[in-house]
Amino acid sequence: MYLAIREMRFAKARYSLIATIMVLVAFLVLFVTGLAQGLAYDNAASVKNMAATHFVLGQDSNHRFTRSQVDQNQLEKAGLLVGKENAEPLGLKMTTVVPSGETGKIDVALLAVNLESWLAPTVTEGSPISDQTKGHVLVDQKLSNSGVKIGSIIVDQASGTKWTVSGFVKNESFSHAPAVFLNKQDWLNLQAQTLTRQGTESAADSKIYNAVAIKASKEKVKELQSSLPNTEVITKSEAVSGIPGYKEEQGSLMMMIVFLFVISAFVLAVFFYVITIQKTSQFGILKAIGTRTAYLARSVTLQVLVLSVGSLVLSVLLVQLFEAVLPSSMPFQLGFSTLALTCLSFITMSLAGSLFSVWKVAKIDALDAIGRTAA
């Protein structure tokens, strides 16, 4: 340890350059990781916020809510198996709304839930609504950036239905679109209007949802799957992965993060390998006077560890500073567990990159190194 620290103090410029590069690479790794987590949450916030453990979807829906249809009969059967209070209908529809008096269009996700159940979101501003509150909705706070306020009227472009905004909820979105929550009765009315416009008036009284959200144990889920034909029961994580574009988006970002880890390890390995080659004669002399190879290897490893930890501390401070000034419209999340795992992975990759230098130190022959110095 004494040798490692003393050498770093002596060659400040050299090690400062390495530390600067590591700070930049570590900052980029943390920033992209936070962006990936933020995008993942923004893409599926409403599903992730639900207390459901599983969802019942229509058969061949490919785990996608928008492709699924379940009827009232399937809802009631699910309620009998897992308990009526543990099975709640869920309607979901992507649409475009226009605030009354405005010309700007807003893409939103309509979510129909029992607003007196455990699926209901928490109201952060305004008044909650119930299934008896006709023509009122709760909207995500992002809509306030488009001029929507409590009491504003929004119009569904597809059906012409009008709703009054009763309150705001926070961090509720689906497929990167802000969520609009309406009660079951308004959802059924919307479905009836859609069926009527399609010319299927005879089906206007049918109760159709996209899924049934359930809370149940694994044993109950197996029983549910075998008792409900023409359906599939999926977990919450499967439902999240089924959101259009979710896996592709996260796959691209994860590939970027992996490449950044590999690049950081490679850059560090090259720097320390070159430095080790430059110090071959010094290491040879130290070996000749009795310094053990293990001691020299620990010295190199300690230098890498100090630089990695120091760089990460500065990078975390920079990321927190950037997070504080980022606009609210930019999805960015870097929780403690993700931060800790990313930092640990970065240190591990840095130490792995130092193995080339350790191997070079172990291969140095004292007499050969001293001979080259004398020549």
Side-chain angles (χ1 to χ4, degrees):
M1 182 174 181
Y2 172 78
L3 177 63
I5 302 301
R6 185 174 178 85
E7 184 181 7
M8 292 176 68
R9 291 175 59 186
F10 178 77
K12 295 184 181 68
R14 175 190 296 171
Y15 287 98
S16 295
L17 177 62
I18 300 174
T20 301
I21 294 174
M22 290 185 67
V23 167
L24 295 175
V25 174
F27 169 78
L28 189 57
V29 169
L30 292 173
F31 188 82
V32 174
T33 301
L35 185 62
Q37 292 295 313
L39 286 170
Y41 185 73
D42 185 69
N43 203 352
S46 293
V47 177
K48 290 184 176 182
N49 292 341
M50 292 178 181
T53 58
H54 296 78
F55 295 93
V56 178
L57 272 64
Q59 196 173 31
D60 300 325
S61 60
N62 198 25
H63 296 181
R64 294 190 178 184
F65 291 112
T66 51
R67 295 180 179 176
S68 169
Q69 282 191 342
V70 294
D71 55 31
Q72 184 68 24
N73 184 44
Q74 291 169 322
L75 170 63
E76 291 174 356
K77 284 184 177 180
L80 289 175
L81 290 170
V82 300
K84 188 176 180 180
E85 69 282 358
N86 294 324
E88 291 291 340
L90 173 64
L92 193 149
K93 179 182 179 181
M94 305 302 295
T95 189
T96 301
V97 298
V98 181
S100 183
E102 302 286 341
T103 57
K105 300 177 180 180
I106 310 170
D107 293 327
V108 299
L110 292 180
L111 287 166
V113 298
N114 179 0
L115 292 165
E116 297 174 350
S117 71
W118 43 268
L119 276 184
T122 302
V123 179
T124 57
E125 184 181 352
S127 304
I129 60 177
S130 66
D131 280 340
Q132 287 71 43
T133 311
K134 184 179 179 181
H136 287 72
V137 292
L138 303 174
V139 302
D140 185 75
Q141 284 183 338
K142 295 187 185 73
L143 290 182
S144 62
N145 298 328
S146 302
V148 176
K149 302 177 182 178
I150 295 177
S152 296
I153 297 176
I154 58 176
V155 183
D156 179 28
Q157 188 180 32
S159 64
T161 306
K162 297 181 179 180
W163 299 294
T164 301
V165 177
S166 290
F168 285 104
V169 294
K170 188 177 181 181
N171 296 330
E172 294 289 349
S173 57
F174 181 88
S175 193
H176 295 304
V180 173
F181 287 88
L182 63 159
N183 59 33
K184 291 191 298 181
Q185 190 57 50
D186 281 340
W187 169 262
L188 295 176
N189 291 338
L190 180 64
Q191 292 291 92
Q193 290 179 17
T194 302
L195 291 172
T196 301
R197 286 195 171 198
Q198 292 174 349
T200 54
E201 297 184 17
S202 61
D205 294 329
S206 62
K207 296 181 179 180
I208 301 296
Y209 305 97
N210 292 94
V212 178
I214 61 174
K215 291 195 295 184
S217 62
K218 292 182 179 180
E219 290 74 18
K220 285 289 184 181
V221 168
K222 291 179 180 179
E223 184 181 351
L224 189 67
Q225 182 68 81
S226 60
S227 303
L228 286 178
N230 301 321
T231 63
E232 57 181 11
V233 183
I234 63 173
T235 62
K236 183 188 289 189
S237 60
E238 288 174 333
V240 169
S241 298
I243 295 175
Y246 182 89
K247 290 190 292 187
E248 293 78 6
E249 179 183 85
Q250 290 300 300
S252 300
L253 289 169
M254 284 304 299
M255 184 175 294
M256 290 173 59
I257 294 171
V258 170
F259 272 110
L260 285 172
F261 275 121
V262 174
I263 290 170
S264 63
F266 181 77
V267 169
L268 188 64
V270 170
F271 266 104
F272 271 92
Y273 189 74
V274 171
I275 291 174
T276 302
I277 292 175
Q278 292 175 344
K279 298 187 297 182
T280 299
S281 58
Q282 290 93 322
F283 282 129
I285 293 171
L286 288 171
K287 280 190 173 184
I289 62 177
T291 305
R292 292 179 298 173
T293 300
Y295 178 83
L296 297 176
R298 284 199 303 269
S299 176
V300 173
T301 304
L302 181 62
Q303 288 177 347
V304 174
L305 184 61
V306 170
L307 287 173
S308 300
V309 173
S311 300
L312 278 172
V313 171
L314 292 176
S315 300
V316 170
L317 294 176
L318 282 174
V319 168
Q320 290 179 342
L321 177 63
F322 268 74
E323 185 178 2
V325 299
L326 284 175
S328 57
S329 58
M330 179 175 288
F332 185 90
Q333 278 193 350
L334 194 61
F336 178 77
S337 58
T338 303
L339 179 63
L341 180 61
T342 305
C343 291
L344 182 61
S345 300
F346 186 83
I347 292 174
T348 302
M349 292 297 292
S350 298
L351 292 175
S354 69
L355 293 178
F356 289 104
S357 298
V358 172
W359 173 80
K360 181 63 178 178
V361 170
K363 300 292 288 185
I364 291 175
D365 181 80
L367 295 178
D368 184 50
I370 293 173
R372 286 202 301 269
T373 304

